[in-house]
Amino acid sequence: MEISNEERIQKIIDEENKYNPFTDEDIANSMEVLRETVTNLRKKLGIPNSRERKKEVIVKEILNLISREKNPSNSDILEELKVMGAKISQSILDEIFDNLSFYKEKYSIENSSGNSENSFSKLIGHERSLTKIIKQAQASLLYPPFGLSTLIIGESGIGKTLFADCMYDFALENNIIKSGSPYITLNCADYADNPQLLLSILYGYKKGSFTGAEDDTPGFVEKANNGILFLDEIHRLPPKGQEILFTLLDKGKFRRLGETYNERSAKVLFLCATTENIESSLLISFRRRIPMIISIPPLEDRSLEEKIELACNFFQEECNRTNLKLFVDSKVLEAFVLKKYQGNIGQMKSEIKVTCANAYVDNIGRKSKEIHIGLNDILYNNIFSEGLNFESSSMIKIKTLINDKVFMPYMSENSVITKKIITENYEISKDIYQQIEEKYYEIKKLNVGQEETKNILWTYVLNTFNRIESDAVSNKEVDSDDIDNLVDRKLIKLVSEFVSCLQDKNSRIEINKNILNHLSIHLNEAIKRINFKQVIINPNLKKIINEYNEEYKIAKLLVDRIEKEYQIVIPDDEVGFIAMYMKALKKTEITDERIGIIILSHGKVASEMVSVVNKLMNVDFPIAIDMPLNESPTKIFERTIEIAKIIDNGNGILFFSDMGSLLNIGDVVSKRTGIKTRTIDRVDIVTLIEAVRKVYISEGALDHIYFNIVNSRYALCQTYSTNQSKPSVIVTLCLTGKGLAVKIKQSLLDAYNGIEIITIGMMNEKLAEKMKLIKQKYNIIAAIGTMNPNIEGINYIQYSEDLIKSKYLELLINKDSIDVRKNVLNKDLIIVDKIFKSKAELLDYTYSLLYNGCYVKKEYINSLIQREDMNTTYVKGGIAIPHGMPAYVNKTTLLIVKLKEKINWDKECRKVDMIFMPVVKENDIKLINTLLKIVKSVDIVSSIKKSKSNEEIYKLISEIINK
Ligand SMILES: Nc1ncnc2c1ncn2[C@@H]1O[C@H](COP(=O)(O)OP(=O)(O)OP(=O)(O)O)[C@@H](O)[C@H]1O
């Protein structure tokens, strides 16, 4: 039979000289395979590299020596090791001695394996929540001469059976029972409908004692003689059965059913378990005879750390079962940990099993050795239907406890229980050039245009570098064997000298040492490419030069040195890549604090779109929620709320939904959870890519990104030009023009006071003609109805109840400013009697109000300051009218501040206590006229200054506006 490469490696390593182990290169040569293959397989097998293997053997040897001979000298040790064929340097020996206590602890733990405590150590929580009850169990079992009968109580699925199993192991290990002694278990619930049968199974019966009793038959009590009998669900044992058990517990005597004289004896240690309240479900006289009661704490009372360990352990078990590498997204782990389980640990275990089984089935077609379980995978399993535990403190803690991604080791040796979450290693073999080329062709297929293609690639490159950085920050070191074998030593030296030189020049730079390794590997690849005359294309070169100019310059210096050393010419495109590494070299805090994105759509549209975007941009944060047609909206709402809680990092969530019934999903999530949301009422791939890119590069806060997207989409809708000389109108449509059209009109009027609306019936034969006439007289903002009249040049919008409140409509209406003055005032933007220390503080404050309310774009603040620098905006009477550029205004408004104390406004130190800030779009000039009227009137100004509340000012100004 042919043996696999893994088996060959394992065999070679098993048989190697432990003091002089084989390097990956040695093994590769003897197997005639690539060194990278050996390195990868060795890691899969969980075997350390040759240097670490050697060190472990030597440390153990030294510890042995120290325990045999107290205080051996250095030369004694080196001599002894030499005899065994192990040569080590003095510096390694020093390092081992410096850390002797660490090594002692490390290896003494291993040595003590097999001690009696181990029978309980397979229980997760044995060092935490279960410590007390383990002590109780041990005390109970060690009680002479044969332990105490014990009752284990706890909720269903909490681990009572497993705990009883551990007690049996402990009894064996401590010779309380002899090896090979019976361990009989009986679940009394299995016979709950037939108490007679239960008694006969338990105690045995005499031939003829009941119909069907054809032979004398021993029961479980006899079978468990000299061992342990575990009676699960003991509350199902009928009172008669409990009474028989008294005698057995008191005197060790019992009779089989139907026997009157023949008293039998059995030496049995009873372990019983129940989920019920023992006061009401067991006879008092029986309870009194069970001296030890052990209560297993419910899952709810266990710590987050313990819950994480449990969930990881169950994923590990599945990994071992399927023989596949499992990548479990941190969000998935969070969801499993935070969920409230009625069925406790048992339920957690089975839900993880179902999730893995589903992922396994999905994977069969792909025949990959890896399974990635993302949040989208668990949505189908309805695991959110029972709610999660969302105290904010646990949310914060869990995010710090769970790393970005969880990697379950491939068939690890200790297959049942693993205690640690092991994070994924960065794969150094991937070639960035190739990745970018592949991506480029994939994106081209999407037809998104040259600029967007570059933008997507940029996100991809940034993300790839961020991953390298975060790996380096979390100290996932590149295996030193890998570096030695992969990279030319000359190059490693050159790079590290260059970097230390950089550091010498600028001592403030803190360097990510691990990035050095990545950089060396990358440069090695680059040199190879150049020597093989392969082109290097960096589609983002311009962007890199612009955004990382400093790093680009440093990269050029390094390139000069490499060019000299290797006699090659390195193209600028490559310098761009090196600049990215230079940026990564500087230590930065990696945060994962970005806005969440959730896409909701019917069928599988959402998940298909997300999978395209994830693949394309190498990101993993947009979440798809597919909605089966038969699922009720309430269920979807609940599910979405739970998911929103998991993915929110405090920066809010952007929803995409194209279904009328779910357009208000963002509002519902906000109300129920306090998470800030925005909803885009459309689901298409280009908009989604745009959003992901903006979110990824943290282009701005949620509102900024939302309005940017809506505005760019709005610009698309505005293919039909508007004419400012004509009044604007909205046309509402229904079949007759008298039913729904009128209702729509009314709701529009309620929401947008003063808007002009015309209702028309679709059955009107001259519909097209009528529309044409309206168009001659008006600017038609939109036709809203239930049926599309399909008339060229008309922006038709399908009516839904949510439409009226939607931002989209609001934007549409305000853009054309039917009569902007009616809507410009907002009480929240009238600030009364506030104290500011300076003009700068006031401008900052007003800008944040405007920006948070989505009135202005991010750039507004700069234009506001620039305007002030140009010339003062002071007008007489202690008033100032600061203002930014109309191009950065989303929606016209008037912001008013009445200051409690005067502040200096300009170079001439004129003081102001009243601010009117007109925030105006190009075509909303009318507001300026109104404002002039206010500022010119001494009476109006003095009334405003006398006002005590924003209500009063609002009223005053509304009257002027409406005149
Ligand atoms: N502390 C633990 N560490 C690891 N696995 C655990 C632990 N507790 C419970 N389990 C696992 O959870 C599952 C349920 O546990 P178990 O069957 O022992 O619970 P139970 O209380 O006996 O349940 P029931 O009341 O339903 O009989 C089992 O697969 C068990 O291996």
Side-chain angles (χ1 to χ4, degrees):
M1 205 180 65
E2 211 178 302
I3 65 166
S4 70
N5 278 346
E6 269 154 278
E7 286 167 319
R8 287 171 73 193
I9 293 171
Q10 183 76 62
K11 194 160 181 284
I12 293 174
I13 293 178
D14 285 347
E15 290 168 5
E16 74 189 354
N17 176 348
K18 303 285 177 242
Y19 299 103
N20 234 331
F22 293 126
T23 63
D24 290 353
E25 191 74 52
D26 296 337
I27 301 177
N29 288 341
S30 78
M31 287 171 61
E32 295 182 347
V33 294
L34 285 177
R35 192 207 52 78
E36 285 88 344
T37 314
V38 174
T39 307
N40 286 339
L41 291 176
R42 172 179 59 69
K43 283 186 192 166
K44 266 187 193 169
L45 289 163
I47 301 175
N49 66 33
S50 55
R51 215 168 299 168
E52 284 160 15
R53 296 203 299 278
K54 179 172 173 179
K55 189 166 173 193
E56 183 177 336
V57 177
I58 288 175
V59 170
K60 283 185 177 167
E61 212 47 72
I62 294 176
L63 288 175
N64 265 337
L65 221 85
I66 294 174
S67 69
R68 275 202 318 266
E69 299 165 30
K70 293 246 148 48
N71 300 325
S73 71
N74 267 5
S75 57
D76 286 350
I77 292 176
L78 286 172
E79 193 53 37
E80 179 95 17
L81 289 172
K82 211 166 133 193
V83 172
M84 288 183 247
K87 278 190 220 137
I88 58 161
S89 65
Q90 184 65 44
S91 62
I92 295 186
L93 193 63
D94 291 344
E95 188 272 326
I96 295 173
F97 271 98
D98 286 347
N99 298 298
L100 207 56
S101 53
F102 163 78
Y103 289 122
K104 263 187 188 158
E105 196 176 329
K106 184 169 172 192
Y107 297 114
S108 66
I109 288 169
E110 272 179 21
N111 292 341
S112 68
S113 69
N115 78 9
S116 57
E117 247 218 295
N118 255 358
S119 40
F120 287 100
S121 65
K122 67 171 163 246
L123 288 175
I124 287 168
H126 70 279
E127 283 161 332
R128 284 189 273 251
S129 67
L130 306 182
T131 329
K132 200 176 123 211
I133 59 166
I134 290 173
K135 284 220 171 84
Q136 250 184 305
Q138 288 170 342
S140 176
L141 290 165
L142 291 168
Y143 198 80
F146 193 56
L148 298 172
S149 298
T150 303
L151 176 60
I152 306 167
I153 56 175
E155 294 171 4
S156 166
I158 199 58
K160 299 183 292 299
T161 311
L162 187 62
F163 195 81
D165 294 351
C166 295
M167 288 180 74
Y168 171 74
D169 291 343
F170 181 86
L172 274 182
E173 280 163 13
N174 289 277
N175 297 324
I176 297 159
I177 52 176
K178 288 206 184 79
S179 122
S181 298
Y183 176 48
I184 310 273
T185 67
L186 175 66
N187 189 338
C188 302
D190 294 345
Y191 303 94
D193 298 335
N194 195 339
Q196 185 69 18
L197 182 58
L198 173 58
L199 295 185
S200 59
I201 286 179
L202 190 54
Y203 301 112
Y205 50 87
K206 190 175 169 235
K207 186 177 169 185
S209 56
F210 52 89
T211 335
E214 287 172 359
D215 289 304
D216 286 343
T217 307
F220 278 21
V221 169
E222 277 165 83
K223 287 185 188 159
N225 194 20
N226 290 317
I228 292 182
L229 179 56
F230 174 49
L231 297 176
D232 203 358
E233 314 271 2
I234 184 81
H235 57 277
R236 299 286 196 166
L237 188 67
K240 186 170 175 215
Q242 294 182 31
E243 280 164 18
I244 304 174
L245 214 50
F246 303 162
T247 339
L248 194 54
L249 291 170
D250 286 346
K251 302 181 191 151
K253 304 276 181 209
F254 73 103
R255 287 196 180 92
R256 289 182 187 170
L257 294 195
E259 285 181 343
T260 29
Y261 303 107
N262 193 8
E263 208 174 39
R264 297 170 186 272
S265 48
K267 187 178 159 206
V268 176
L269 177 61
F270 281 93
L271 302 180
C272 312
T274 179
T275 46
E276 299 300 298
N277 176 354
I278 52 171
E279 311 292 328
S280 53
S281 64
L282 297 177
L283 295 177
I284 302 180
S285 36
F286 175 64
R287 273 195 338 254
R288 243 191 274 128
R289 284 175 169 86
I290 305 266
M292 182 62 88
I293 295 175
I294 288 177
S295 171
I296 303 195
L299 185 58
E300 222 176 291
D301 294 352
R302 315 256 176 121
S303 66
L304 274 179
E305 284 91 339
E306 206 168 308
K307 288 183 193 167
I308 294 173
E309 211 176 318
L310 278 164
C312 284
N313 173 60
F314 298 139
F315 275 115
Q316 174 68 57
E317 284 183 5
E318 295 317 306
C319 169
N320 298 334
R321 210 184 309 277
T322 53
N323 200 10
L324 288 168
K325 234 186 213 174
L326 271 186
F327 290 91
V328 185
D329 206 279
S330 57
K331 301 282 178 212
V332 172
L333 203 58
E334 276 177 32
F336 277 111
V337 170
L338 291 174
K339 188 177 172 183
K340 287 179 193 146
Y341 297 93
Q342 273 163 2
N344 281 297
I345 302 175
Q347 189 188 353
M348 181 196 260
K349 182 172 172 160
S350 66
E351 285 183 357
I352 288 178
K353 212 184 259 285
V354 170
T355 304
C356 293
N358 282 339
Y360 181 73
V361 172
D362 286 347
N363 187 56
I364 288 175
R366 288 191 287 121
K367 294 207 172 79
S368 157
K369 272 272 171 196
E370 287 177 6
I371 296 182
H372 185 113
I373 301 182
L375 204 49
N376 286 324
D377 292 287
I378 56 172
L379 300 182
Y380 298 112
N381 299 332
N382 228 359
I383 77 142
F384 293 106
S385 56
E386 284 171 39
L388 312 178
N389 169 22
F390 278 108
E391 296 140 31
S392 53
S393 58
S394 45
M395 284 304 291
I396 294 166
K397 192 162 177 207
I398 194 160
K399 282 185 199 297
T400 57
L401 286 174
I402 296 180
N403 278 333
D404 188 30
K405 225 169 215 181
V406 182
F407 166 54
M408 297 298 167
Y410 190 79
M411 279 304 278
S412 88
E413 245 179 87
N414 48 348
S415 59
V416 187
I417 311 281
T418 36
K419 288 181 219 141
K420 289 214 167 66
I421 303 168
I422 299 159
T423 39
E424 183 186 9
N425 275 324
Y426 173 65
E427 287 176 48
I428 54 165
S429 52
K430 275 195 189 146
D431 178 347
I432 182 109
Y433 312 111
Q434 210 181 327
Q435 288 177 51
I436 290 179
E437 276 162 32
E438 280 168 16
K439 262 319 106 168
Y440 178 75
Y441 289 111
E442 272 176 49
I443 301 165
K444 266 196 106 172
K445 279 191 227 142
L446 272 182
N447 256 342
V448 288
Q450 195 66 14
E451 209 37 46
E452 191 59 20
T453 306
K454 279 194 182 167
N455 287 338
I456 298 172
L457 271 179
W458 179 238
T459 314
Y460 178 82
V461 170
L462 279 183
N463 197 9
T464 310
F465 275 89
N466 270 354
R467 289 208 171 160
I468 303 178
E469 276 180 61
S470 66
D471 284 351
V473 168
S474 55
N475 286 329
K476 273 180 252 170
E477 286 193 10
V478 179
D479 196 321
S480 39
D481 254 13
D482 292 333
I483 301 287
D484 289 352
N485 289 319
L486 276 179
V487 183
D488 180 11
R489 274 176 193 281
K490 204 166 58 174
L491 186 62
I492 301 178
K493 197 164 161 251
L494 192 150
V495 173
S496 26
E497 278 173 9
F498 178 80
V499 172
S500 9
C501 197
L502 261 188
Q503 251 182 318
D504 288 346
K505 278 194 197 140
N506 188 350
S507 55
R508 276 176 309 150
I509 300 183
E510 248 201 282
I511 298 287
N512 251 329
K513 289 266 160 42
N514 208 22
I515 294 282
L516 271 184
N517 294 334
H518 291 284
L519 173 61
S520 310
I521 295 164
H522 171 85
L523 287 171
N524 206 63
E525 281 304 306
I527 295 170
K528 259 195 234 160
R529 262 199 172 224
I530 293 166
N531 283 333
F532 283 117
K533 309 261 174 298
Q534 279 177 291
V535 264
I536 291 175
I537 302 168
N538 189 336
N540 305 115
L541 183 63
K542 264 197 193 148
K543 240 188 166 109
I544 294 174
I545 298 178
N546 279 339
E547 295 193 16
Y548 302 125
N549 196 266
E550 198 57 31
E551 288 80 3
Y552 186 79
K553 284 185 197 149
I554 300 175
K556 270 241 171 251
L557 296 176
L558 174 62
V559 162
D560 280 349
R561 294 197 190 182
I562 301 174
E563 284 183 334
K564 269 192 208 118
E565 182 71 49
Y566 286 85
Q567 298 293 310
I568 48 167
V569 177
I570 298 180
D572 279 354
D573 288 56
E574 174 53 40
V575 184
F577 284 121
I578 302 174
M580 296 294 292
Y581 277 100
M582 289 299 151
K583 193 201 148 260
L585 261 177
K586 288 190 217 153
K587 259 193 188 160
T588 43
E589 286 282 309
I590 303 286
T591 53
D592 186 19
E593 300 275 285
R594 63 170 76 93
I595 296 163
I597 298 184
I598 296 182
I599 301 101
L600 294 117
S601 191
H602 277 316
K604 285 205 152 200
V605 176
S607 63
E608 275 160 15
M609 248 183 217
V610 164
S611 89
V612 171
V613 172
N614 286 358
K615 213 170 133 236
L616 209 60
M617 303 177 86
N618 193 13
V619 294
D620 56 3
F621 59 91
I623 295 294
I625 302 187
D626 288 335
M627 284 171 294
L629 290 170
N630 52 4
E631 191 159 348
S632 80
T634 11
K635 253 193 156 171
I636 294 162
F637 271 98
E638 289 309 319
R639 192 141 55 98
T640 310
I641 287 167
E642 299 310 341
I643 293 165
K645 288 188 213 160
I646 294 184
I647 70 165
D648 179 53
N649 279 326
N651 291 313
I653 295 177
L654 186 60
F655 282 96
F656 284 78
S657 169
D658 56 359
M659 287 172 320
S661 58
L662 287 174
L663 284 180
N664 64 338
I665 186 80
D667 295 341
V668 175
V669 169
S670 291
K671 246 188 223 141
R672 292 264 299 269
T673 61
I675 297 171
K676 182 162 180 161
T677 67
R678 287 284 186 187
T679 309
I680 290 180
D681 52 355
R682 169 166 162 174
V683 177
D684 68 77
I685 193 97
V686 178
T687 319
L688 181 60
I689 288 177
E690 193 189 340
V692 167
R693 189 174 57 74
K694 285 179 189 303
V695 164
Y696 189 79
I697 59 170
S698 301
E699 196 182 274
L702 179 63
D703 286 340
H704 175 82
I705 290 178
Y706 166 77
F707 272 105
N708 248 307
I709 291 172
V710 175
N711 280 345
S712 65
R713 278 183 33 201
Y714 176 69
L716 292 177
C717 298
Q718 286 300 300
T719 39
Y720 312 115
S721 65
T722 53
N723 180 340
Q724 288 308 314
S725 63
K726 291 193 268 183
S728 297
V729 74
I730 288 183
V731 177
T732 61
L733 300 155
C734 69
L735 270 186
T736 59
K738 290 185 181 133
L740 194 64
V742 178
K743 200 180 143 209
I744 302 174
K745 176 177 176 176
Q746 196 47 55
S747 355
L748 278 168
L749 284 176
D750 291 347
Y752 301 96
N753 186 16
I755 188 172
E756 183 130 8
I757 296 167
I758 298 176
T759 57
I760 310 188
M762 294 280 288
M763 288 198 309
N764 189 328
E765 283 165 20
K766 294 187 180 148
L767 177 69
E769 224 171 278
K770 220 169 167 188
M771 283 292 237
K772 223 170 162 184
L773 284 176
I774 299 174
K775 239 183 123 183
Q776 280 170 8
K777 239 176 115 186
Y778 295 93
N779 276 323
I780 302 181
I781 299 174
I784 303 178
T786 46
M787 260 181 253
N788 192 343
N790 283 323
I791 297 171
E792 218 199 312
I794 304 287
N795 183 17
Y796 171 76
I797 304 173
Q798 178 77 21
Y799 172 74
S800 76
E801 288 201 354
D802 307 303
L803 174 75
I804 307 293
K805 284 179 273 156
S806 80
K807 280 276 166 220
Y808 173 57
L809 192 64
E810 191 184 324
L811 266 168
L812 211 56
I813 290 171
N814 286 335
K815 176 108 177 171
D816 272 4
S817 66
I818 293 156
D819 186 349
V820 78
R821 290 174 306 161
K822 300 255 164 60
N823 283 311
V824 297
L825 277 192
N826 178 345
K827 282 179 206 156
D828 293 341
L829 297 182
I830 303 176
I831 317 301
V832 177
D833 290 339
K834 196 168 164 59
I835 298 178
F836 291 97
K837 282 197 218 89
S838 63
K839 174 177 168 183
E841 191 186 279
L842 179 133
L843 291 182
D844 261 1
Y845 175 78
T846 50
Y847 162 70
S848 68
L849 281 182
L850 291 169
Y851 185 68
N852 293 340
C854 309
Y855 289 93
V856 297
K857 297 186 172 66
K858 208 172 172 185
E859 297 85 350
Y860 189 79
I861 180 75
N862 282 341
S863 70
L864 191 65
I865 293 167
Q866 274 163 14
R867 172 64 191 81
E868 286 301 316
D869 289 346
M870 242 161 62
N871 203 343
T872 182
T873 54
Y874 179 88
V875 280
K876 63 175 178 118
I879 300 172
I881 47 167
H883 51 276
M885 291 271 286
Y888 305 128
V889 175
N890 292 325
K891 194 170 129 185
T892 295
T893 191
L894 177 63
L895 185 145
I896 301 166
V897 187
K898 182 164 95 72
L899 287 95
K900 191 161 187 177
E901 288 166 13
K902 290 192 174 188
I903 52 168
N904 277 344
W905 195 256
D906 50 22
K907 285 183 198 130
E908 291 158 47
C909 290
R910 284 181 285 197
K911 294 200 178 296
V912 301
D913 58 359
M914 191 76 227
I915 305 290
F916 292 103
M917 188 185 286
V919 180
V920 186
K921 288 184 77 70
E922 274 106 325
N923 52 3
D924 294 341
I925 306 302
K926 287 173 193 166
L927 179 76
I928 302 291
N929 295 332
T930 315
L931 186 59
L932 281 179
K933 216 155 92 186
I934 298 173
V935 178
K936 273 187 195 159
S937 157
V938 180
D939 287 350
I940 300 174
V941 171
S942 91
S943 317
I944 295 176
K945 284 193 176 178
K946 272 187 213 141
S947 302
K948 292 267 174 297
S949 67
N950 59 352
E951 285 281 346
E952 267 180 65
I953 298 180
Y954 182 82
K955 248 173 118 185
L956 261 166
I957 298 189
S958 297
E959 276 167 23
I960 301 163
I961 285 178
N962 292 327
K963 252 183 207 162

